[in-house]
């Protein structure tokens, strides 16, 4: 099992460009999450999907959109990147909303 | 909504010394509590979790944590730290409604040889 995979690992964008971060899990988990991690701020939840077909905003959703493509895949889209979105992005999955979350290796995004 | 505080931003201990990392939470009901570890450049790995039952929880790598409802705390301990324990440690609290999972800001652990 690969667990949770994320692509790409690194990305540099210019302000205003768009991109999609991909996440997939092979653990048959119902719930999936996107976090951003910034120095001194821990992990902040951007969006989550409790189950296939549902998505909900987390703590910091502005500037992002998500798609739960199927049970395995949960993508995060930046429509018009801003320097404030420079961060490390982590995808996670769990069997339910209150269960252990398993994390991917992260995507380091820099917006110039 | 629940919240989590980790009062210590950075802790330095000598190899072989004992360790305690503090975590306090705010939540109206019995929380689900977690400790994760993140090595540099890596994702997060679960150390241990508390859902119910025995308030002293054993985890991987020789870590344990104790849930104290009266103090709203879930402190992480290890009797003897190894150099490989140098990492960042995150406490998290889960709930079964609303914004369901909140992480603390993290405590960075440095280990002196």
């Amino acid at each position: 099992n690969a667990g949770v995979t994320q692509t790409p690992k690194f990305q540099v964008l210019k302000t205003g460009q768009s991109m999609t971060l991909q996440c997939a899990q092979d653990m048959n988990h119902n719930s999936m999450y996107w976090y951003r991690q910034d120095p001194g701020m821990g992990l902040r939840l951007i969006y989550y999907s409790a189950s296939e077909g549902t998505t909900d905003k987390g703590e910091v959703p502005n500037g992002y959109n998500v798609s739960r493509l199927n049970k395995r895949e949960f993508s995060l889209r930046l429509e018009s990147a801003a320097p404030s979105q420079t961060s490390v992005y982590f995808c996670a999955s769990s069997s339910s909303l209150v269960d252990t979350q398993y994390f991917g290796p992260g995507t380091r995004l820099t917006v110039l | 909504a629940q919240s989590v505080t980790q009062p210590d931003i950075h802790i330095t201990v000598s190899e072989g010394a004992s360790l305690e990392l503090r975590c306090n939470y705010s939540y109206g009901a019995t929380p689900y509590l977690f400790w994760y570890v993140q090595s540099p450049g890596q994702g997060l790995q679960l150390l241990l979790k508390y859902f119910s039952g025995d308030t002293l929880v054993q985890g991987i790598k020789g870590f344990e944590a104790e849930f104290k409802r009266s103090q709203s705390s879930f402190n992480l301990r290890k009797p003897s730290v190894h150099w490989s324990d140098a990492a960042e440690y995150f406490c998290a609290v889960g709930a079964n409604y609303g914004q369901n999972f909140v992480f603390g800001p993290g405590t960075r652990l440095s280990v002196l040889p």
Side-chain angles (χ1 to χ4, degrees):
Chain A
N1 285 354
V4 180
T5 58
Q6 293 182 235
T7 55
K9 286 187 168 53
F10 301 93
Q11 184 72 48
V12 179
L13 293 177
K14 294 181 179 178
T15 297
Q17 288 184 318
S18 62
M19 79 161 295
T20 300
L21 281 65
Q22 306 287 353
C23 173
Q25 52 92 8
D26 63 1
M27 296 175 281
N28 201 35
H29 283 166
N30 293 308
S31 304
M32 298 185 73
Y33 314 81
W34 277 106
Y35 292 90
R36 59 178 290 172
Q37 184 177 31
D38 303 291
M41 303 194 73
L43 279 82
R44 292 182 291 170
L45 184 64
I46 304 171
Y47 272 93
Y48 67 100
S49 170
S51 60
E52 186 179 358
T54 70
T55 60
D56 284 288
K57 295 178 180 179
E59 182 184 354
V60 288
N62 291 346
Y64 305 95
N65 286 300
V66 291
S67 295
R68 183 75 183 265
L69 304 170
N70 48 54
K71 191 171 186 179
R72 290 188 63 248
E73 298 172 288
F74 188 40
S75 63
L76 178 72
R77 183 160 179 83
L78 287 69
E79 291 290 351
S80 179
S84 61
Q85 294 178 305
T86 293
S87 188
V88 181
Y89 291 86
F90 287 99
C91 177
S93 70
S94 62
S95 58
S96 73
L97 285 181
V98 296
D99 212 337
T100 302
Q101 294 187 17
Y102 295 87
F103 284 79
T107 295
R108 185 173 295 275
L109 175 67
T110 301
V111 183
L112 302 175
Chain B
Q2 62 271 35
S3 65
V4 181
T5 56
Q6 294 179 247
D8 304 305
I9 296 172
H10 184 204
I11 285 181
T12 300
V13 300
S14 297
E15 191 168 19
S18 64
L19 172 70
E20 182 169 27
L21 301 182
R22 296 182 291 164
C23 171
N24 293 95
Y25 67 90
S26 172
Y27 183 56
T30 299
Y32 305 100
L33 296 162
F34 306 81
W35 274 100
Y36 285 84
V37 61
Q38 184 181 31
S39 297
Q42 304 295 313
L44 278 74
Q45 180 185 22
L46 180 73
L47 282 175
L48 48 78
K49 61 185 179 185
Y50 171 80
F51 279 19
S52 65
D54 193 346
T55 57
L56 185 62
V57 180
Q58 302 297 321
I60 63 172
K61 305 184 181 187
F63 285 93
E64 66 178 26
E66 187 171 13
F67 170 54
K68 293 186 176 180
R69 185 188 302 275
S70 62
Q71 298 176 19
S72 297
S73 69
F74 188 56
N75 293 349
L76 182 71
R77 301 193 293 250
K78 187 170 184 177
S80 178
V81 170
H82 188 262
W83 64 266
S84 60
D85 293 325
E88 187 136 23
Y89 292 80
F90 293 94
C91 182
V93 59
N96 56 8
Y97 65 90
Q99 189 174 304
N100 58 299
F101 212 88
V102 176
F103 281 85
T107 296
R108 185 160 62 93
L109 174 66
S110 297
V111 180
L112 298 175

